[in-house]
Amino acid sequence: MFLIQDIKDTQSYKAGYEVGKWIYHNPTLSVLIGVVLSVGFVWLLTKIVKQIRTFGE
């Protein structure tokens, strides 16, 4: 009980709470950001794999 009360007063808890509230109010924008990050991650992985495959040539 005391541990939960201590966590609720921390700065990181408040920041996470604000981010969660923002995501709740802007779900479409959150999904679009997730799609952009996913596409960027896949693009980066393909570049890395291409570098590895052509390393010995």
Side-chain angles (χ1 to χ4, degrees), residues 7-19:
I7 291 172
K8 286 186 177 182
D9 294 333
T10 61
Q11 186 68 26
S12 59
Y13 178 82
K14 292 176 185 174
Y17 184 76
E18 290 297 320
V19 169

Side-chain angles (χ1 to χ4, degrees):
M1 182 72 178
F2 295 112
L3 181 62
I4 293 172
Q5 290 174 346
D6 290 340
I7 291 172
K8 286 186 177 182
D9 294 333
T10 61
Q11 186 68 26
S12 59
Y13 178 82
K14 292 176 185 174
Y17 184 76
E18 290 297 320
V19 169
K21 209 163 42 169
W22 184 83
I23 290 171
Y24 175 74
H25 290 296
N26 302 297
T28 306
L29 190 59
S30 300
V31 169
L32 288 176
I33 291 171
V35 167
V36 168
L37 288 176
S38 298
V39 168
F41 183 69
V42 169
W43 176 80
L44 185 66
L45 280 179
T46 57
K47 295 296 181 185
I48 292 170
V49 168
K50 186 177 179 185
Q51 287 291 325
I52 292 171
R53 286 176 49 193
T54 59
F55 180 70
E57 296 177 3

